[in-house]
Amino acid sequence: MLAEAMIAARGISAVKSGGNGFRGGSSGSKSSGSGAGGASAAASFMSGGLTGAVGRQFTNGAVKSATGTGGSGIGGRVFTSSMSKGGDFANNVIGTVARGSISAVGSMTGESASQGLLSYMGYTGMEAGDVPAFSDVEIGGGRIMGIETTVENPNGISFGMYDADQYTTPAGNFSTVTSVDGSKWYKQYAADAVEKSPYMAPDGTIAYNESIVKRLPKAPCRKDKS
């Protein structure tokens, strides 16, 4: 799977050393990598950002794969492999999406988001009995929302997580959890709330049926909008 990345790395290394990893022009033209002038041009080309550009393209490919906005590519394949192992590369990508703007970065949803949250919260590789199951997960915009199923909540319970750097302290019960990249998140679970359903009483007045439902508390305010 990493063969393509290794080939790219060898090519970059060749350009850095002034070799023939990359050639421009037609086959009949002089190699720009020969002599001091060629080495200087290669160094200038690299300082202009080829290494950085490849790194950015690689990471952008992983982010696009995570958010479903682009093809897999080498970055996407490495992201998937890293996520299955709870690796740093995948967790950094997930953190970028989780704390980033949805309009600029996108969001993670579906099975990829559920698996990503397991990795991002450090559950990958733990004993099955200690690991919750996540579903209907959405990651992005400083928030992580979904349903968590555990022994205590076998039918699942809705939760919301809010980036502590972007959101004010929530009202009501909450905990502060830390993701593997060191980010702090306020976490709240759905709590009992009264739901009223109107109906027409026999005397023609409006009455209400009341029931207890689990509902997430109102989301905290963003710090830049509080």
Side-chain angles (χ1 to χ4, degrees):
M1 182 187 67
L2 296 178
E4 186 178 345
M6 293 172 66
I7 292 172
R10 285 199 297 269
I12 292 171
S13 177
V15 174
K16 282 183 175 179
S17 63
N20 296 325
F22 295 88
R23 293 174 181 256
S26 65
S27 59
S29 64
K30 265 186 195 176
S31 168
S32 61
S34 60
S40 175
S44 176
F45 183 53
M46 291 306 299
S47 67
L50 178 59
T51 302
V54 170
R56 287 191 298 274
Q57 184 178 12
F58 183 82
T59 302
N60 287 342
V63 170
K64 288 181 178 180
S65 177
T67 58
T69 57
S72 58
I74 182 63
R77 293 195 292 274
V78 172
F79 168 75
T80 300
S81 175
S82 178
M83 184 171 64
S84 70
K85 302 170 185 175
D88 288 344
F89 177 72
N91 289 327
N92 287 334
V93 169
I94 296 165
T96 296
V97 176
R99 299 188 307 276
S101 165
I102 291 178
S103 61
V105 182
S107 63
M108 293 180 66
T109 59
E111 184 61 27
S112 176
S114 298
Q115 293 181 7
L117 186 54
L118 286 172
S119 178
Y120 191 54
M121 298 311 297
Y123 289 116
T124 302
M126 292 178 60
E127 293 292 331
D130 299 325
V131 178
F134 295 116
S135 58
D136 294 335
V137 174
E138 182 173 2
I139 301 173
R143 306 202 309 181
I144 301 175
M145 317 298 288
I147 296 174
E148 180 179 301
T149 302
T150 60
V151 174
E152 294 79 11
N153 293 287
N155 296 321
I157 185 170
S158 297
F159 70 90
M161 292 170 54
Y162 309 93
D163 180 17
D165 287 336
Q166 299 183 54
Y167 284 86
T168 59
T169 304
N173 294 327
F174 72 93
S175 61
T176 302
V177 297
T178 305
S179 50
V180 294
D181 63 355
S183 300
K184 303 292 184 182
W185 296 82
Y186 300 127
K187 186 174 185 179
Q188 289 187 301
Y189 289 102
D192 289 343
V194 177
E195 184 175 74
K196 295 183 178 181
S197 302
Y199 69 95
M200 185 70 70
D203 61 1
T205 61
I206 300 297
Y208 295 88
N209 287 318
E210 295 186 354
S211 59
I212 302 297
V213 296
K214 292 285 189 182
R215 184 176 296 163
L216 272 174
K218 182 180 177 181
C221 296
R222 291 189 66 95
K223 290 182 177 179
D224 56 359
K225 296 181 180 179
S226 59

